[in-house]
PDB file of all heavy atoms in Angstrom:
ATOM      1  N   ARG A 547     -10.767   7.196 -11.337  1.00 89.00           N
ATOM      2  CA  ARG A 547     -11.102   6.873 -12.727  1.00 89.00           C
ATOM      3  C   ARG A 547     -12.319   7.648 -13.201  1.00 89.00           C
ATOM      4  O   ARG A 547     -12.420   8.012 -14.375  1.00 89.00           O
ATOM      5  CB  ARG A 547     -11.357   5.367 -12.849  1.00 89.00           C
ATOM      6  CG  ARG A 547     -11.809   4.898 -14.224  1.00 89.00           C
ATOM      7  CD  ARG A 547     -12.002   3.388 -14.234  1.00 89.00           C
ATOM      8  NE  ARG A 547     -12.570   2.898 -15.474  1.00 89.00           N
ATOM      9  CZ  ARG A 547     -11.870   2.637 -16.584  1.00 89.00           C
ATOM     10  NH1 ARG A 547     -10.567   2.833 -16.583  1.00 89.00           N
ATOM     11  NH2 ARG A 547     -12.461   2.184 -17.673  1.00 89.00           N
ATOM     12  N   HIS A 548     -13.255   7.925 -12.294  1.00 92.00           N
ATOM     13  CA  HIS A 548     -14.502   8.575 -12.689  1.00 92.00           C
ATOM     14  C   HIS A 548     -14.597  10.020 -12.193  1.00 92.00           C
ATOM     15  O   HIS A 548     -15.695  10.544 -11.999  1.00 92.00           O
ATOM     16  CB  HIS A 548     -15.691   7.743 -12.211  1.00 92.00           C
ATOM     17  CG  HIS A 548     -15.755   6.392 -12.863  1.00 92.00           C
ATOM     18  ND1 HIS A 548     -16.015   6.224 -14.202  1.00 92.00           N
ATOM     19  CD2 HIS A 548     -15.537   5.143 -12.365  1.00 92.00           C
ATOM     20  CE1 HIS A 548     -15.985   4.941 -14.503  1.00 92.00           C
ATOM     21  NE2 HIS A 548     -15.694   4.261 -13.411  1.00 92.00           N
ATOM     22  N   LEU A 549     -13.461  10.654 -11.999  1.00 92.00           N
ATOM     23  CA  LEU A 549     -13.390  12.098 -11.752  1.00 92.00           C
ATOM     24  C   LEU A 549     -12.464  12.712 -12.790  1.00 92.00           C
ATOM     25  O   LEU A 549     -11.517  12.069 -13.251  1.00 92.00           O
ATOM     26  CB  LEU A 549     -12.813  12.410 -10.375  1.00 92.00           C
ATOM     27  CG  LEU A 549     -13.537  11.950  -9.107  1.00 92.00           C
ATOM     28  CD1 LEU A 549     -12.804  12.478  -7.893  1.00 92.00           C
ATOM     29  CD2 LEU A 549     -14.979  12.402  -9.089  1.00 92.00           C
ATOM     30  N   VAL A 550     -12.711  13.965 -13.154  1.00 92.00           N
ATOM     31  CA  VAL A 550     -11.683  14.724 -13.854  1.00 92.00           C
ATOM     32  C   VAL A 550     -10.638  15.029 -12.794  1.00 92.00           C
ATOM     33  O   VAL A 550     -10.823  15.890 -11.938  1.00 92.00           O
ATOM     34  CB  VAL A 550     -12.265  16.009 -14.473  1.00 92.00           C
ATOM     35  CG1 VAL A 550     -11.152  16.850 -15.075  1.00 92.00           C
ATOM     36  CG2 VAL A 550     -13.295  15.659 -15.535  1.00 92.00           C
ATOM     37  N   SER A 551      -9.546  14.291 -12.809  1.00 90.00           N
ATOM     38  CA  SER A 551      -8.638  14.222 -11.671  1.00 90.00           C
ATOM     39  C   SER A 551      -7.644  15.373 -11.637  1.00 90.00           C
ATOM     40  O   SER A 551      -7.231  15.901 -12.676  1.00 90.00           O
ATOM     41  CB  SER A 551      -7.884  12.893 -11.684  1.00 90.00           C
ATOM     42  OG  SER A 551      -8.773  11.817 -11.548  1.00 90.00           O
ATOM     43  N   ALA A 552      -7.257  15.728 -10.421  1.00 91.00           N
ATOM     44  CA  ALA A 552      -6.240  16.755 -10.213  1.00 91.00           C
ATOM     45  C   ALA A 552      -4.866  16.181 -10.532  1.00 91.00           C
ATOM     46  O   ALA A 552      -4.528  15.077 -10.104  1.00 91.00           O
ATOM     47  CB  ALA A 552      -6.291  17.257  -8.778  1.00 91.00           C
ATOM     48  N   LEU A 553      -4.068  16.916 -11.287  1.00 91.00           N
ATOM     49  CA  LEU A 553      -2.716  16.486 -11.641  1.00 91.00           C
ATOM     50  C   LEU A 553      -1.652  17.249 -10.868  1.00 91.00           C
ATOM     51  O   LEU A 553      -0.519  16.787 -10.748  1.00 91.00           O
ATOM     52  CB  LEU A 553      -2.464  16.670 -13.142  1.00 91.00           C
ATOM     53  CG  LEU A 553      -3.434  15.948 -14.093  1.00 91.00           C
ATOM     54  CD1 LEU A 553      -2.999  16.176 -15.528  1.00 91.00           C
ATOM     55  CD2 LEU A 553      -3.497  14.462 -13.777  1.00 91.00           C
ATOM     56  N   GLY A 554      -1.999  18.418 -10.345  1.00 91.00           N
ATOM     57  CA  GLY A 554      -1.001  19.172  -9.592  1.00 91.00           C
ATOM     58  C   GLY A 554      -1.432  20.605  -9.365  1.00 91.00           C
ATOM     59  O   GLY A 554      -2.563  21.001  -9.669  1.00 91.00           O
ATOM     60  N   HIS A 555      -0.509  21.395  -8.849  1.00 90.00           N
ATOM     61  CA  HIS A 555      -0.795  22.796  -8.537  1.00 90.00           C
ATOM     62  C   HIS A 555       0.474  23.620  -8.740  1.00 90.00           C
ATOM     63  O   HIS A 555       1.576  23.081  -8.871  1.00 90.00           O
ATOM     64  CB  HIS A 555      -1.278  22.940  -7.084  1.00 90.00           C
ATOM     65  CG  HIS A 555      -0.210  22.643  -6.078  1.00 90.00           C
ATOM     66  ND1 HIS A 555       0.070  21.345  -5.646  1.00 90.00           N
ATOM     67  CD2 HIS A 555       0.676  23.444  -5.432  1.00 90.00           C
ATOM     68  CE1 HIS A 555       1.055  21.373  -4.786  1.00 90.00           C
ATOM     69  NE2 HIS A 555       1.452  22.629  -4.633  1.00 90.00           N
ATOM     70  N   CYS A 556       0.303  24.916  -8.741  1.00 89.00           N
ATOM     71  CA  CYS A 556       1.437  25.831  -8.834  1.00 89.00           C
ATOM     72  C   CYS A 556       1.105  27.086  -8.041  1.00 89.00           C
ATOM     73  O   CYS A 556       0.002  27.630  -8.146  1.00 89.00           O
ATOM     74  CB  CYS A 556       1.702  26.191 -10.308  1.00 89.00           C
ATOM     75  SG  CYS A 556       2.906  27.529 -10.540  1.00 89.00           S
ATOM     76  N   PHE A 557       2.041  27.529  -7.208  1.00 83.00           N
ATOM     77  CA  PHE A 557       1.903  28.779  -6.472  1.00 83.00           C
ATOM     78  C   PHE A 557       2.711  29.870  -7.191  1.00 83.00           C
ATOM     79  O   PHE A 557       3.846  29.644  -7.595  1.00 83.00           O
ATOM     80  CB  PHE A 557       2.434  28.662  -5.044  1.00 83.00           C
ATOM     81  CG  PHE A 557       1.566  27.844  -4.129  1.00 83.00           C
ATOM     82  CD1 PHE A 557       2.096  26.785  -3.401  1.00 83.00           C
ATOM     83  CD2 PHE A 557       0.223  28.121  -3.983  1.00 83.00           C
ATOM     84  CE1 PHE A 557       1.305  26.031  -2.557  1.00 83.00           C
ATOM     85  CE2 PHE A 557      -0.585  27.371  -3.143  1.00 83.00           C
ATOM     86  CZ  PHE A 557      -0.032  26.328  -2.432  1.00 83.00           C
ATOM     87  N   GLU A 558       2.104  31.036  -7.335  1.00 82.00           N
ATOM     88  CA  GLU A 558       2.850  32.202  -7.802  1.00 82.00           C
ATOM     89  C   GLU A 558       3.058  33.121  -6.602  1.00 82.00           C
ATOM     90  O   GLU A 558       2.105  33.470  -5.902  1.00 82.00           O
ATOM     91  CB  GLU A 558       2.083  32.928  -8.907  1.00 82.00           C
ATOM     92  CG  GLU A 558       2.895  34.076  -9.521  1.00 82.00           C
ATOM     93  CD  GLU A 558       2.173  34.724 -10.695  1.00 82.00           C
ATOM     94  OE1 GLU A 558       1.095  34.213 -11.067  1.00 82.00           O
ATOM     95  OE2 GLU A 558       2.666  35.730 -11.213  1.00 82.00           O
TER      96      GLU A 558
END
Side-chain angles (χ1 to χ4, degrees):
R547 176 179 174 83
H548 296 293
L549 297 184
V550 174
S551 297
L553 303 183
H555 68 275
C556 170
F557 288 127
E558 186 175 355

